Amino acid sequence: PRLINNITLRDPDNKVISNTAFTYSLSASNRYYFLDTVTIDNKTYSFEYYNRSGLPNESNALGTDYWGFYFFCAEVTLLGTGNVSSFWDMYLNPTVTYPARMPSLECAKRGILTSITYPTGGMETYEYELNTYSHKGLQTLGGIYYSDIGSNQLAGGLRISKITLGNMVKKYRYVTYFDPNNPDAASYAGAPSRGILYRLPGVPYFGRSVLNATCIDGEPAVVYSKVIEFLADKSYTEYTMRSPLDKPDGDNTQNSNYYSVWSSNSSVFSNYPEMAFVGSLGKASSRSLERGQISNMKIYDGNNTLKKSISYSYATDPNRYTQNVAVVNIASTADQALARLGLELGLAYFNNGLYF
């Protein structure tokens, strides 16, 4: 691996202005490098991680939950999974109930940053919890729609639950209801989540569904529309963020510019049904760059009095909605048929101007 060990800043006379050194360590069968310290001009920052030795070796690394985060069981494929077709519908909307693919907090935390020790000796610690969602996108040949599923569900990946630095403790709530007079109430555990499951996970099967029905734009699995950060004195900050609920992707119609299940060469669908491509094809209408942005921040004191409100606006290039992206997400080429499909689509694109 290529790791940066040292960065030296010099002036035009080649005199050293600043020097930064990095140290690393190996864990878990020498497969993972961890940044242990950063020293800037003799001031050292050190980092600790959760159960780094518990990360999987090469043979176990493919055992993951629906979202690709490590799960301590073997990789789930067609073999030995039973009637897995009951775990998705015809449009590849998974029920997200297959036991061997459900997220694990213990496994997801392995290797995560847990603390930073500063040159002054102070330590900042981090605690995490699994993502949750109460809305999810449902795909059809006509597009994707967001539905309130009526209860909280767990999703892969982690979110911050608590940050401690000295006597300052920041806690976070990702729920629709927040009582500033009782911010630590146990009832929050069952309150509806502000999370929206935008990235639909793949399903445990090598077949049509391995065309992973996910966002292609690097968006996280769950996007939150609101996050509350509160302190011990009951003061809190409310962050409202853009999400798929107010910034959905373009037009929910089946045409070549939006959620297309269409090709300039229709023979592609002779052996692979259109349903296999729902949500997997590049689309020109993505608004993922606008989601996750803070639209408003409100700061309240310990008496629940609003002290400051800040609204944010962002520049957007409207022309990017007409820029087509020709792409198919293939989650794995372990199945030779899928590798062949990828090759066929690539050749068709280059030789015949195939686009989606």
Side-chain angles (χ1 to χ4, degrees):
R2 297 180 178 179
L3 303 173
I4 296 176
N5 293 318
N6 190 271
I7 298 175
T8 301
L9 179 63
R10 299 176 182 270
D11 66 13
D13 297 323
N14 204 33
K15 181 180 178 180
V16 175
I17 298 174
S18 179
N19 187 76
T20 302
F22 306 85
T23 64
Y24 307 87
S25 61
L26 273 168
S27 293
S29 304
N30 294 333
R31 296 189 71 243
Y32 307 93
Y33 283 87
F34 288 86
L35 178 64
D36 290 325
T37 66
V38 175
T39 302
I40 305 174
D41 299 331
N42 299 318
K43 296 179 180 179
T44 299
Y45 301 78
S46 59
F47 309 92
E48 293 295 332
Y49 306 85
Y50 180 80
N51 193 9
R52 63 175 84 185
S53 63
L55 286 167
N57 57 29
E58 185 173 358
S59 61
N60 295 325
L62 296 179
T64 66
D65 63 22
Y66 279 105
W67 291 268
F69 294 93
Y70 174 57
F71 189 77
F72 52 81
C73 66
E75 180 184 14
V76 177
T77 67
L78 171 62
L79 299 177
T81 58
N83 183 23
V84 296
S85 62
S86 62
F87 295 100
W88 72 78
D89 65 19
M90 66 180 297
Y91 298 112
L92 307 183
N93 292 303
T95 58
V96 195
T97 56
Y98 193 65
R101 300 298 296 273
M102 296 302 288
S104 162
L105 177 60
E106 164 61 29
C107 290
K109 289 196 303 181
R110 294 184 186 183
I112 198 71
L113 178 70
T114 56
S115 71
I116 300 175
T117 300
Y118 294 96
T120 56
M123 176 183 289
E124 186 169 56
T125 62
Y126 307 93
E127 297 180 22
Y128 303 86
E129 58 194 14
L130 285 171
N131 283 308
T132 60
Y133 63 95
S134 60
H135 283 76
K136 71 175 180 178
L138 297 176
Q139 297 186 103
T140 70
L141 282 174
I144 185 168
Y145 305 88
Y146 297 99
S147 173
D148 184 350
I149 60 178
S151 62
N152 284 346
Q153 302 292 325
L154 293 175
L158 302 172
R159 67 191 188 194
I160 285 285
S161 63
K162 182 180 178 181
I163 299 176
T164 303
L165 176 59
N167 294 325
M168 177 176 288
V169 179
K170 297 180 181 179
K171 296 183 181 180
Y172 297 85
R173 293 285 180 262
Y174 303 79
V175 293
T176 57
Y177 168 75
F178 177 75
D179 181 2
N181 295 315
N182 194 12
D184 279 314
S187 59
Y188 286 117
S193 171
R194 288 283 186 176
I196 300 100
L197 181 64
Y198 177 73
R199 173 175 287 184
L200 300 174
V203 292
Y205 189 78
F206 282 159
R208 66 178 190 180
S209 58
V210 82
L211 288 169
N212 204 16
T214 64
C215 167
I216 66 168
D217 307 294
E219 197 164 17
V222 175
V223 179
Y224 293 94
S225 60
K226 185 170 290 188
V227 178
I228 305 293
E229 176 189 78
F230 64 95
L231 304 179
D233 64 359
K234 297 185 180 180
S235 63
Y236 65 99
T237 302
E238 179 182 276
Y239 299 92
T240 300
M241 292 170 293
R242 293 175 168 181
S243 75
L245 297 181
D246 62 323
K247 295 293 179 181
D249 282 350
D251 188 319
N252 271 342
T253 57
Q254 182 183 345
N255 61 66
S256 60
N257 292 323
Y258 296 103
Y259 288 97
S260 171
V261 186
W262 174 91
S263 168
S264 59
N265 182 353
S266 60
S267 63
V268 169
F269 299 126
S270 298
N271 298 317
Y272 301 95
E274 291 178 67
M275 282 77 75
F277 293 88
V278 174
S280 299
L281 304 183
K283 50 187 179 294
S285 60
S286 173
R287 303 184 73 179
S288 66
L289 293 176
E290 300 169 45
R291 293 190 285 265
Q293 296 172 331
I294 297 175
S295 60
N296 184 264
M297 180 175 69
K298 294 181 178 180
I299 301 173
Y300 296 83
D301 64 16
N303 296 316
N304 198 28
T305 300
L306 178 64
K307 306 299 291 185
K308 182 184 291 188
S309 179
I310 304 173
S311 295
Y312 298 84
S313 60
Y314 302 85
T316 300
D317 178 8
N319 295 324
R320 67 183 177 84
Y321 298 122
T322 61
Q323 298 168 356
N324 290 300
V325 181
V327 64
V328 169
N329 285 342
I330 296 181
S332 171
T333 56
D335 187 327
Q336 292 183 358
L338 291 168
R340 186 170 64 251
L341 170 60
L343 177 62
E344 290 175 355
L345 290 172
L347 291 175
Y349 173 67
F350 286 112
N351 296 330
N352 303 311
L354 177 70
Y355 60 95
F356 295 93

